[in-house]
Amino acid sequence: MGEDSRLAAVVALAQGMAAAQGSREAWRAAAGGARRALGGSFAALSVWERELGRLRVLVNVGELAEGEEEFPDDESYPVHQFAEITEFLHEQWAGGGEPGAWVETAEGPAAGRPGYCHQRVAALRRRGRGCCVVAPIVLHGRAWGELYVARPVGVPVFGRGDADFATVLAAVVAAGIAQTERLEEARRLAYTDALTGLANRRAVDARLDEAIERHRRDGAVVSLVVCDLNGLKRVNDTLGHAVGDRLLERFGTVLSLCGAMLPGALAARLGGDEFCLLSVGPSADEVVKAADEVCRRAVDLGIGDGVACGVASTEDPVGPVRSARRLFRLADAAQYRAKAGRAVHPVVAGREGPDDPVVRLADEPSRVTDGERRRFRGRHSP
């Protein structure tokens, strides 16, 4: 590959990572771009998880061997089996050099010099590959992981020039990963409540719209628990806002723990003293059970006056739920009833017969008081 072709390959890799929407796409773009740039048949990107002492594969691309998956759930290897990823880096840096790539073949090392690595050679033979080039990825001055590109048996083995080029590609990948991490952090902050660490209202709106679309498309059960933390104003007025913030944080932890009873549930703070759980999949009864646990644990916090919880689920007799707005109104009306009645258990929309007062409150706001109407004003407006 000539200089112009290599420059074009570097540009293509960088552009692919820059265009990625999220970490997975960025990993795929990095591995795929490196595979094409180096003329490989397979590539993988792995991260060094120091606390677990392992290299974990993030993505595999190209011609996958038996048992390999594009995004493996748990393909990892103890670092002590691949000590060169750490020892070689440290030796290079100690000598004033830069981390560089090396080549291994099914017969042993060919270029670069961490030396013969039995595990890599065995893996090449086991998967029918003839050679690989391994390039350390360095991020923020530390070894982050590695870029691995392989060729099949019977094609030219990677040379010293390929190893040097892989080092350049690894640096481009590192820059792309750093940019992706910054964007992910920005997205996380945009969808996270700063005080509690839970999701925020923006995240709920986005997830609920997706959930209702799933319900319309394939009948998925969508349930929403809306909670109002009782006594926050009294705590703020008598004990101070620092204690009030602590109450919000502690209740956020309770909500998160109870939400874990529902696989995939989203726990969120809507704002002020209002929180919610959004569940897709579990039955309405499972959601009510989790909401009841929220009520019980909220009382045990010791400060505040417990919580008022309202539940609405597409599985209950509430009529068609064709919009996120209607499910929110149903859950909000149930929560209002729980608050007004000082209920110690969740109030569930649709479970009080054909003329259910919660459903009526949600669907016919003109028949309720101005105070009740204020509960819905500004929330999912038509």
Side-chain angles (χ1 to χ4, degrees), residues 14 71 127 142 169 214 216 221 246 284 296 339:
F71 292 106
R127 291 165 177 159
R142 302 181 69 187
L169 294 173
R214 275 192 58 188
R216 288 197 299 255
V221 176
R246 191 155 65 247
R296 186 187 69 79
K339 187 105 173 169

Side-chain angles (χ1 to χ4, degrees), residues 345-358:
H345 299 288
V347 170
V348 186
R351 294 196 175 185
E352 293 188 40
D355 193 30
D356 185 278
V358 171

Side-chain angles (χ1 to χ4, degrees), residues 47-236:
V47 63
W48 178 13
E49 295 182 329
R50 283 175 168 79
E51 71 280 10
L52 298 176
R54 67 182 190 177
L55 278 170
R56 179 170 64 87
V57 178
L58 299 174
V59 65
N60 294 309
V61 300
E63 298 174 9
L64 306 186
E66 184 178 354
E68 289 178 329
E69 300 175 356
E70 183 179 23
F71 292 106
D73 289 333
D74 191 25
E75 182 185 350
S76 59
Y77 304 94
V79 169
H80 71 266
Q81 292 183 1
F82 301 94
E84 77 283 355
I85 191 66
T86 56
E87 293 174 3
F88 180 53
L89 281 173
H90 294 165
E91 284 182 14
Q92 290 287 90
W93 287 341
E98 294 293 332
W102 64 89
V103 174
E104 301 276 359
T105 77
E107 306 302 322
R113 53 169 302 279
Y116 176 87
C117 180
H118 174 73
Q119 287 79 9
R120 291 192 192 277
V121 171
L124 286 171
R125 293 171 180 170
R126 186 171 62 252
R127 291 165 177 159
R129 293 167 183 148
C131 64
C132 66
V133 59
V134 184
I137 296 172
V138 179
L139 196 61
H140 309 309
R142 302 181 69 187
W144 180 91
E146 67 172 37
L147 178 66
Y148 175 102
V149 180
R151 287 176 177 170
V153 174
V155 302
V157 170
F158 290 116
R160 178 68 263 171
D162 294 313
D164 291 342
F165 186 39
T167 300
V168 173
L169 294 173
V172 175
V173 169
I177 290 170
Q179 176 67 11
T180 299
E181 288 183 349
R182 286 192 291 269
L183 291 173
E184 289 287 332
E185 178 64 8
R187 292 190 188 104
R188 186 191 69 78
L189 293 173
Y191 288 93
T192 302
D193 176 63
L195 178 63
T196 63
L198 300 179
N200 63 13
R201 178 58 187 269
R202 183 183 290 110
V204 174
D205 287 346
R207 184 77 67 87
L208 186 54
D209 285 338
E210 294 172 1
I212 294 300
E213 180 58 33
R214 275 192 58 188
H215 171 68
R216 288 197 299 255
R217 186 177 65 248
D218 55 31
V221 176
V222 181
S223 305
L224 188 66
V225 181
V226 173
C227 308
D228 191 290
L229 193 57
N230 297 326
L232 178 63
K233 184 177 186 306
R234 177 185 58 79
V235 170
N236 283 335

